[in-house]
């Protein structure tokens, strides 16, 4: 009976990505080496396999190689089996390690299967010359490969495209050798929001990191682990958020190996003004402190005349907001008080609520149930795609083995390989187009619904200026003042909620429920109201309104004019 002690080590390695695309898989290489070991008298339980995939980084490859050499030394393994010399060594350091390992023991051997070479301490000079020449050729091959890769990267940069993976907010499309980066419309809105949130005067890297985690910004899902889980899909750390905010890729500038290329052809996701403002804030050595003066609407409102920020001044215990730009006509208008602005916004909370509490609770439950059903279907579709992709890889491997065994002709194999790979690429594209942040986005939209229905109650319970300011920022956007005139827009999802609330209020007036206690009429109203609110189509988690427009344009009755009061003279 064969022992279970490891007596030989197999090293698998693919030299380049092209070899994998041509069908030379690591599985086929391992099968060849295991057959060779079996012919030499080694059973499968006496073999230990080390694999270095083409996708492994240089440091990972070095780590695996060193781990293999250390294992053979510590465990007394006498035989190393490799397909060819260029699979074993990539530089002269690897060569010295193998030479030292061989010279330390007369029984140690390295089998280079396809080179027909078995190297050991007492090999003839001709065999050692053969080994040395092949090492030099392997080193030359790797150096030449590196030169070609560098040349290709420089050419790609010259054409305006960044080699490698893009930052969050973009995705890669195209065939191998012709890949470009385009905006990922599922993730891009979150990245834009990150830049905008950071410019809030009270925001810091820590607060925006926590906020983006809550909103569902996650790393991409990567390779599958042995236990079936996938790498990635985690919230970004504070340091990674910092890198995102500092990355000029978003404004059309590529940086590669420390060199700046300002000819980027990728579509700009962030405006240059917004990007520059973020950089100025991040580079500020002594950030201002706001402990002494912290008005509620600090950094929230902009002038509707010139677009600059509204200045808030405290006089006789009252905060006043006004434009401080000399050339702006709004500077001559009466100033708005903080209380008037706050009261006007609080009045708008009611415009978001469903008329009846029963309708509110029913809508909340119905939306969550719909979301749960959608998630079941989403996961089932994703699983089917993953299963088909794995099946295609198995079929591709089988076809390659049939080609090696001459069961099928090379031309037929190439035809099958192209067909399988094309379908694999199509499936991969479908998986990538699946919204990886679907669940998080829907949870966020459901939270917004909860917030909109309890906005007035929640606002009164907030006991800090920062928390109230944050609530206003969740519900409203593009807040502007022109003297005492206040204008605003709802955020996209909240605009859809406001639209439904408006329809609900009109429906209630139609049924004349205010002075009608008829239960049949009430039941009819409830049923009709449910239809209105359930029409919030959440198949697209970015919006519950399929044709979103700024709410102030769709519903001019909600443009607000603060009641004129005596201004500051």
């Amino acid at each position: 009976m064969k022992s279970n002690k490891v007596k030989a080590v197999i090293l698998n390695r693919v030299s380049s990505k092209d070899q994998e695309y041509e069908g030379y898989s690591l599985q086929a290489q391992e099968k060849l080496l295991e057959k060779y070991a079996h012919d030499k008298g080694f059973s499968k339980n006496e073999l230990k396999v080390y694999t270095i995939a083409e996708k492994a980084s240089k440091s990972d490859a070095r780590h695996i190689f060193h781990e293999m050499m250390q294992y053979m030394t510590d465990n007394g393994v006498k035989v190393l089996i490799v397909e060819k010399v260029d699979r074993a060594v990539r530089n002269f350091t690897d060569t010295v390690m193998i030479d030292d390992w061989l010279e330390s023991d007369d029984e140690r051997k390295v089998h280079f299967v396809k080179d027909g070479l078995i190297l050991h301490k007492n090999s003839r000079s001709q065999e050692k010359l053969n080994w040395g020449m092949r090492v030099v050729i392997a080193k030359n091959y790797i150096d030449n490969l590196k030169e070609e890769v560098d040349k290709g990267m420089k050419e790609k940069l010259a054409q305006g495209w960044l080699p490698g993976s893009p930052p969050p907010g973009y995705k890669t499309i195209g065939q191998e050798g012709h890949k470009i980066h385009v905006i990922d419309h599922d993730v891009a809105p979150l990245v834009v929001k990150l830049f905008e949130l950071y410019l809030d005067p009270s925001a810091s890297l820590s607060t925006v990191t926590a906020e983006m985690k809550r909103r569902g910004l996650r790393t991409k899902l990567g390779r599958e682990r042995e236990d079936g889980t996938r790498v990635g899909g985690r919230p970004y750390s504070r340091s990674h958020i910092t890198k995102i905010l500092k990355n000029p890729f978003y404004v059309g500038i590529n940086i590669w190996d420390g060199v700046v290329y300002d000819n980027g052809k990728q579509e700009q996701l962030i405006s240059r003004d917004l990007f520059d403002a973020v950089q100025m804030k991040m580079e500020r050595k002594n950030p201002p402190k706001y402990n002494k003066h912290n008005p509620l609407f600090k950094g929230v409102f902009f002038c509707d005349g010139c677009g600059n920020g509204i200045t808030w001044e405290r006089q006789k215990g009252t905060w006043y907001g006004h434009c401080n730009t000399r050339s702006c006509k709004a500077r001559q208008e009466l100033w708005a008080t903080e209380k008037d602005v706050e009261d006007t916004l609080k009045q708008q909370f009611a415009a978001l609520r469903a008329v009846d509490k029963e309708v509110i609770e029913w809508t909340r439950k119905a939306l969550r149930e719909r979301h749960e059903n959608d998630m079941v279907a989403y996961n089932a579709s994703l699983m089917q795609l993953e299963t088909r992709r794995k099946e295609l890889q198995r079929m591709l491997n089988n076809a390659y083995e049939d080609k090696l065994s001459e069961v099928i002709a090379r031309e037929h194999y190439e035809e099958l390989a192209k067909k399988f790979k094309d379908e694999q690429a199509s499936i991969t594209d479908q998986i990538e187009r699946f919204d990886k942040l679907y669940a998080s986005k829907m949870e966020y939209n459901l939270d917004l619904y909860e917030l909109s229905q309890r906005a007035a109650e929640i606002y009164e319970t907030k006991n800090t200026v920062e928390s109230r300011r944050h609530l206003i920022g969740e519900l409203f956007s593009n807040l502007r003042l022109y003297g005492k005139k206040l204008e605003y827009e709802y955020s996209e999802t909240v605009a859809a909620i406001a639209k439904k609330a408006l329809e609900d209020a009109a429906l209630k007036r139609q049924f004349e429920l205010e002075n009608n206690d008829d239960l049949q009429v009430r039941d009819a109203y409830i049923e009709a109201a449910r239809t209105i609110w359930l029409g919030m189509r959440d198949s697209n988690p970015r919006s519950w309104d399929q044709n979103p427009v700024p709410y102030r344009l769709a519903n001019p009755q909600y443009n607000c004019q603060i009641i004129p009061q005596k201004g500051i003279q």
Side-chain angles (χ1 to χ4, degrees):
M1 178 183 291
K2 294 282 185 182
S3 69
N4 290 326
K5 181 179 179 181
V6 174
K7 295 183 178 180
V9 164
I10 287 176
L11 175 62
N12 288 325
R13 179 185 250 166
V14 175
S15 292
S16 69
K17 189 175 291 187
D18 288 340
Q19 289 181 340
E20 285 190 325
Y21 290 151
E22 290 167 4
Y24 194 94
S25 66
L26 288 168
Q27 294 88 342
Q29 188 179 147
E30 182 177 341
K31 186 175 182 180
L32 170 69
L33 298 181
E34 285 182 347
K35 183 178 184 303
Y36 176 87
H38 181 267
D39 293 342
K40 293 295 182 181
F42 297 104
S43 65
K44 191 164 186 177
N45 60 355
E46 294 176 329
L47 301 173
K48 183 174 179 63
V49 179
Y50 284 88
T51 298
I52 302 177
E54 186 281 329
K55 293 181 180 179
S57 66
K58 184 177 180 180
S59 60
D60 288 343
R62 296 292 304 156
H63 175 75
I64 295 172
F65 185 83
H66 283 197
E67 179 184 330
M68 178 192 72
M69 297 301 298
Q70 190 64 46
Y71 177 86
M72 291 193 299
T73 301
D74 294 344
N75 293 277
V77 178
K78 306 293 186 181
V79 178
L80 172 62
I81 303 174
V82 192
E83 190 211 29
K84 294 191 295 186
V85 171
D86 66 1
R87 303 296 189 267
V89 296
R90 293 301 173 89
N91 51 60
F92 292 125
T93 303
D94 294 348
T95 306
V96 171
M97 288 185 69
I98 290 179
D99 280 337
D100 290 344
W101 180 74
L102 290 173
E103 291 296 324
S104 300
D105 193 324
D106 291 346
E107 297 182 5
R108 291 176 177 173
K109 297 179 180 180
V110 181
H111 295 245
F112 299 105
V113 177
K114 287 195 173 180
D115 290 332
L117 176 64
I118 300 178
L119 199 64
H120 51 85
K121 179 179 180 179
N122 299 314
S123 293
R124 294 180 294 113
S125 60
Q126 183 66 29
E127 292 173 331
K128 291 184 177 181
L129 176 63
N130 188 357
W131 155 250
M133 291 176 63
R134 291 181 182 276
V135 166
V136 172
I137 293 172
K139 179 67 166 60
N140 175 259
Y141 170 77
I142 297 303
D143 290 343
N144 183 68
L145 188 63
K146 184 177 183 298
E147 287 179 6
E148 293 300 319
V149 170
D150 290 343
K151 189 188 302 181
M153 288 182 175
K154 289 180 180 178
E155 176 60 26
K156 190 167 187 176
L157 286 163
Q159 294 177 5
W161 301 107
L162 181 72
S165 300
Y170 289 84
K171 62 182 179 180
T172 304
I173 63 171
Q175 299 298 320
E176 186 67 25
H178 302 281
K179 292 186 176 181
I180 61 173
H181 305 312
V182 298
I183 290 179
D184 184 344
H185 293 286
D186 293 329
V187 182
L190 289 174
V191 176
V192 174
K193 192 65 177 178
L194 166 62
F195 276 81
E196 294 173 346
L197 288 174
Y198 182 71
L199 279 187
D200 187 295
S202 62
S204 66
L205 288 171
S206 297
T207 59
V208 295
T209 299
E211 178 61 18
M212 297 320 293
K213 176 182 179 180
R214 189 183 75 81
R215 289 175 179 255
L217 185 62
R218 298 287 191 275
T219 59
K220 291 182 178 180
L221 290 177
R223 62 179 175 81
E224 186 174 335
R225 298 189 181 96
E226 293 181 357
D227 60 2
T229 60
R230 298 183 74 86
V231 176
R234 297 182 178 182
Y236 285 102
S237 64
R238 184 177 183 273
S239 62
H240 205 141
I241 290 293
T242 303
K243 291 179 181 178
I244 293 174
L245 291 172
K246 288 185 175 182
N247 196 339
F249 184 89
Y250 295 106
V251 292
I253 297 176
N254 298 325
I255 297 181
W256 185 261
D257 200 20
V259 180
V260 177
Y261 299 84
D262 58 2
N263 63 335
K265 288 187 177 180
Q266 67 271 20
E267 183 180 351
Q268 293 188 23
L269 180 59
I270 304 298
S271 70
R272 191 59 191 250
D273 290 342
L274 176 58
F275 184 80
D276 288 344
V278 168
Q279 305 317 301
M280 287 180 63
K281 179 175 179 179
M282 297 187 76
E283 294 170 4
R284 199 162 52 200
K285 292 184 178 179
N286 297 310
K289 298 180 180 179
Y290 301 101
N291 296 332
K292 186 176 180 181
H293 300 296
N294 190 23
L296 173 60
F297 299 114
K298 177 189 65 181
V300 174
F301 278 87
F302 294 87
C303 177
D304 202 27
C306 63
N308 292 329
I310 291 294
T311 299
W312 293 90
E313 295 184 13
R314 189 181 181 93
Q315 297 194 18
K316 296 182 180 181
T318 301
W319 284 104
Y320 293 89
H322 65 95
C323 179
N324 206 28
T325 303
R326 289 180 180 273
S327 60
C328 182
K329 293 181 180 180
R331 192 167 186 260
Q332 308 302 321
E333 299 287 328
L334 295 179
W335 295 1
T337 67
E338 182 182 84
K339 184 178 185 306
D340 288 340
V341 174
E342 183 180 20
D343 288 346
T344 302
L345 291 179
K346 288 166 65 175
Q347 291 172 11
Q348 304 314 308
F349 294 160
L352 300 174
R353 282 181 56 86
V355 178
D356 193 282
K357 288 185 178 181
E358 182 179 338
V359 174
I360 295 175
E361 293 301 322
W362 182 89
T363 303
R364 180 186 295 115
K365 182 179 178 181
L367 289 174
R368 189 161 295 280
E369 287 178 353
R370 179 188 294 184
H371 169 52
E372 291 173 355
N373 292 335
D374 285 349
M375 286 305 302
V376 171
Y378 163 79
N379 289 325
S381 298
L382 195 61
M383 186 178 299
Q384 287 182 354
L385 289 171
E386 290 283 5
T387 300
R388 178 57 180 168
R389 185 162 63 175
K390 291 179 181 178
E391 175 67 13
L392 286 167
Q393 186 59 48
R394 185 188 65 80
M395 293 165 65
L396 185 61
N397 293 340
N398 290 342
Y400 179 71
E401 292 177 4
D402 288 343
K403 187 197 76 168
L404 292 180
S405 304
E406 298 184 351
V407 174
I408 60 175
R410 180 182 181 85
E411 292 76 13
H412 184 41
Y413 163 74
E414 291 176 350
E415 181 182 341
L416 289 175
K418 184 179 184 307
K419 177 182 176 182
F420 295 154
K421 289 176 183 177
D422 286 348
E423 187 175 349
Q424 277 184 319
S426 175
I427 291 175
T428 300
D429 182 62
Q430 291 181 59
I431 292 174
E432 289 176 351
R433 283 190 283 110
F434 264 72
D435 191 348
K436 298 294 192 302
L437 303 176
Y438 184 90
S440 298
K441 289 179 179 178
M442 267 308 303
E443 287 293 338
Y444 175 64
N445 280 348
L446 289 172
D447 288 344
L448 272 184
Y449 173 76
E450 298 266 5
L451 178 63
S452 68
Q453 301 307 298
R454 299 179 54 232
E457 173 190 346
I458 294 173
Y459 187 86
E460 295 303 327
T461 62
K462 300 290 186 182
N463 53 11
T464 66
V465 168
E466 288 77 11
S467 58
R468 288 189 172 188
R469 187 187 300 140
H470 179 75
L471 185 149
I472 290 171
E474 289 287 348
L475 297 178
F476 302 98
S477 66
N478 198 17
L479 287 156
R480 305 177 306 286
L481 280 173
Y482 191 93
K484 288 192 170 188
K485 183 180 180 182
L486 181 153
E487 291 194 17
Y488 64 89
E489 297 170 12
Y490 286 128
S491 62
E492 200 171 31
T493 299
V494 179
I497 295 173
K499 183 177 179 181
K500 299 302 179 183
L502 190 66
E503 294 175 4
D504 187 10
L507 181 70
K508 181 180 179 181
R509 288 193 296 271
Q510 179 182 346
F511 276 87
E512 298 180 345
L513 291 179
E514 292 86 347
N515 300 309
N516 196 326
D517 295 330
D518 190 333
L519 292 180
Q520 288 185 339
V521 174
R522 173 176 171 76
D523 289 345
Y525 157 71
I526 294 294
E527 188 64 29
R530 288 176 177 179
T531 303
I532 288 176
W533 285 98
L534 195 59
M536 296 170 63
R537 297 165 58 185
D538 59 330
S539 58
N540 177 359
R542 289 187 301 253
S543 173
W544 277 330
D545 190 344
Q546 302 304 303
N547 296 295
V549 296
Y551 197 70
R552 67 184 183 85
L553 300 180
N555 301 281
Q557 66 270 31
Y558 282 128
N559 283 348
C560 303
Q561 174 78 41
I562 294 179
I563 299 174
Q565 295 183 5
K566 185 177 180 180
I568 300 173
Q569 304 300 322

